[in-house]
Amino acid sequence: MLQFENSAQTRIYLDHNATTAPSKTVLDHLPQMISEWGNPSSIHLSSRGPKNILRETRKQFAEIFKCSSLEIIFNSGASEGNNTVLKSVWEKFGLEKNEYIISQIEHPSVLKTASYLQTLGAVIHLIPVLKSGQIDLEFIKNKINSKTALISCMFANNETGTVFPIQQISDIAKKNGVNNNILMHSDCVQALGKYEIDLAALNLDYATFSGHKFYALKGCGILFAKKNAPYANLIHGGGQERSRRGGTENVLGIASIQVMLQELKYLNQKISQMQTLRDNMESEILKKINNVSITAVESERLSNTSSLVITDVDGETMLMSLDIAGFSVSTGAACSSGSPEPSPVLLAMGLTRNEAQNSLRIGLGWGTTEIEIQKFISALIEIVERIRSIDTSSKENGKQNYV
Ligand SMILES: Cc1ncc(COP(=O)(O)O)c(C=O)c1O
């Protein structure tokens, strides 16, 4: 018999920027969702339910984000979406218009695709990040020229929570490009469910979303590609998604996104709930633990994210101690955890290697409670004290050995 260990049962999960547990509503709808297992491309009756799920999800997304349902492509998630966007633009313009302006702190699915395009002849200008966590808008203006094909900047950063001025960057793209034709992409993964996104006002050509960061299931995402924006298939195959993405759609995942789109009616309430908890948590940590700083605190941040630097406390050691104590947090991006290298995002912001190595990321979720935060603060205080005292005594012992 298959056995699954439910590692989430007794845990306090504070890593919602890495992934989210499917919401209770998604879980409640699972049996009904699974019962629609037919292939949406079939023409017999078994396809009707799945087809309906695709149609309704597209319609609801288009209504909420004020776009056309034809501008929505279901895919496997944001890595696929980001790859598709950059490669589509390259396929359209190639060497003719080969310059890309991309923020230095994008997710690897953007940065590594850009590096790949570089091997084909693309010129990549990485927008530097200021100590505040904000990107340098002047840099964008200075780099734009007649060869600029695309500007790509995430809506909010996964590690620090910094929210970027996407509308302003879009304006720069549209006003400064030759014939207003610089394309604009934003990876909106971290914003969905944490920030009110007005897609129409942002004037984007492309936006990428992922289900599993938003209490839906893993392996499903949405790519918004504006009508007439260049598009090239990443996956060739059947005629799914109007022949823009081959492969039978992940109906179950898409159904879970549909459920979550309906939950967006609670967004403002969830944002203020998370913000109150996060702000109280930060002020209590600052009060009770000395030598702590909050990264990017001067910038607008997502309501749920807190990135701390705790002096003289190694992030990995802290993470492991918290893990043993029953708390899931992160030291940086989940995909780079376990790597001894400090977070490139924090380094890009001008933090020293040491500061970056002493960092901890806490990501609250829609379901995080006051009690969980109180338990987390108590555990953190104890762990920081312990690590600092071990460090001090080993330094003292070290000194004695050499005296
Ligand atoms: C900002 C950002 N973009 C893209 C991704 C990749 O998303 P997915 O897991 O859906 O491929 C992530 C996930 O870590 C992310 O945080």
Side-chain angles (χ1 to χ4, degrees):
M1 200 174 81
L2 282 177
Q3 295 230 320
F4 298 97
E5 184 188 338
N6 187 350
S7 58
Q9 228 155 40
T10 52
R11 299 234 111 214
I12 292 184
Y13 186 80
L14 293 171
D15 199 13
H16 289 86
N17 291 7
T19 195
T20 54
S23 74
K24 182 173 178 313
T25 342
V26 167
L27 296 178
D28 288 346
H29 281 83
L30 262 186
Q32 190 193 344
M33 281 155 40
I34 291 171
S35 72
E36 299 295 0
W37 46 261
N39 189 327
S41 300
S42 300
I43 43 177
H44 48 66
L45 196 67
S46 307
S47 73
R48 191 181 289 171
K51 257 196 197 98
N52 199 29
I53 288 173
L54 303 191
R55 192 185 319 108
E56 276 307 305
T57 311
R58 236 186 275 281
K59 189 167 150 244
Q60 282 176 27
F61 187 93
E63 275 168 15
I64 293 170
F65 293 102
K66 300 182 197 75
C67 61
S68 158
S69 54
L70 300 179
E71 295 173 317
I72 294 162
I73 299 138
F74 293 125
N75 60 18
S76 67
S79 296
E80 183 184 329
N82 291 339
N83 268 264
T84 309
V85 171
L86 269 74
K87 290 176 183 173
S88 291
V89 177
W90 175 258
E91 190 133 327
K92 169 77 180 172
F93 298 114
L95 290 169
E96 216 175 284
K97 226 171 136 187
N98 63 342
E99 298 199 15
Y100 295 70
I101 303 177
I102 295 177
S103 103
Q104 196 184 6
I105 53 169
E106 292 300 305
H107 186 264
S109 53
V110 171
L111 289 177
K112 290 198 176 161
T113 309
S115 301
Y116 165 70
L117 296 185
Q118 213 167 11
T119 66
L120 306 179
V123 176
I124 311 294
H125 302 288
L126 291 180
I127 314 164
V129 195
L130 311 170
K131 186 102 190 180
S132 63
Q134 272 305 335
I135 56 166
D136 186 347
L137 296 180
E138 283 309 305
F139 179 93
I140 303 178
K141 288 183 196 158
N142 292 337
K143 287 296 173 200
I144 284 179
N145 66 66
S146 59
K147 301 269 273 179
T148 310
L150 177 80
I151 299 178
S152 177
C153 180
M154 57 188 6
F155 195 108
N157 185 263
N158 40 311
E159 293 191 45
T160 60
T162 320
V163 176
F164 299 108
I166 300 302
Q167 196 170 346
Q168 228 177 315
I169 301 170
S170 277
D171 283 350
I172 295 172
K174 301 300 169 192
K175 284 187 188 139
N176 291 280
V178 177
N179 302 328
N180 295 344
N181 62 357
I182 295 176
L183 296 160
M184 177 75 199
H185 164 236
S186 185
D187 174 338
C188 295
V189 165
Q190 291 294 339
L192 189 58
K194 301 171 191 149
Y195 201 95
E196 189 123 31
I197 305 169
D198 186 346
L199 206 52
L202 295 179
N203 202 5
L204 296 170
D205 297 287
Y206 307 99
T208 37
F209 300 90
S210 177
H212 77 96
K213 307 278 185 177
F214 175 52
Y215 311 94
L217 300 178
K218 292 183 174 52
C220 57
I222 289 180
L223 164 60
F224 160 79
K226 200 177 193 161
K227 191 173 165 229
N228 299 331
Y231 189 90
N233 280 43
L234 191 70
I235 301 176
H236 299 271
Q240 293 91 353
E241 299 305 292
R242 295 181 163 250
S243 298
R244 291 172 295 180
R245 199 260 184 188
T248 304
E249 292 90 346
N250 176 355
V251 180
L252 185 61
I254 295 164
S256 71
I257 291 180
Q258 188 192 351
V259 170
M260 285 314 300
L261 289 175
Q262 287 164 19
E263 299 282 292
L264 278 179
K265 57 178 176 282
Y266 304 117
L267 181 63
N268 286 332
Q269 181 195 327
K270 298 293 180 191
I271 290 174
S272 66
Q273 207 173 290
M274 292 191 294
Q275 176 135 14
T276 308
L277 286 175
R278 193 270 314 264
D279 291 351
N280 290 346
M281 174 188 81
E282 287 184 343
S283 51
E284 218 169 310
I285 288 174
L286 288 177
K287 232 185 282 163
K288 295 189 173 156
I289 307 177
N290 55 24
N291 293 324
V292 178
S293 61
I294 299 162
T295 305
V297 71
E298 296 145 39
S299 287
E300 184 184 8
R301 288 181 298 153
L302 293 174
S303 55
N304 80 315
T305 308
S306 184
S307 175
L308 306 175
V309 175
I310 307 181
T311 308
D312 289 336
V313 184
D314 175 65
E316 290 290 325
T317 313
M318 205 160 24
L319 179 143
M320 284 186 286
S321 309
L322 283 163
D323 190 25
I324 292 165
F327 301 88
S328 298
V329 292
S330 167
T331 49
C335 43
S336 61
S337 272
S339 139
E341 279 304 299
S343 147
V345 170
L346 301 178
L347 293 181
M349 285 176 58
L351 268 72
T352 63
R353 281 180 73 84
N354 206 269
E355 285 170 329
Q357 248 146 357
N358 291 345
S359 79
L360 195 69
R361 177 184 75 177
I362 302 137
L364 280 64
W366 280 18
T368 303
T369 63
E370 170 77 44
I371 294 172
E372 288 182 323
I373 293 296
Q374 283 311 324
K375 285 185 179 167
F376 170 71
I377 295 170
S378 304
L380 187 69
I381 293 170
E382 204 183 302
I383 286 165
V384 168
E385 269 172 16
R386 195 168 66 224
I387 297 173
R388 280 180 175 164
S389 70
I390 294 168
D391 200 37
T392 314
S393 63
S394 63
K395 272 184 196 152
E396 277 164 6
N397 287 341
K399 244 189 251 160
Q400 279 164 8
N401 286 342
Y402 290 102
V403 171

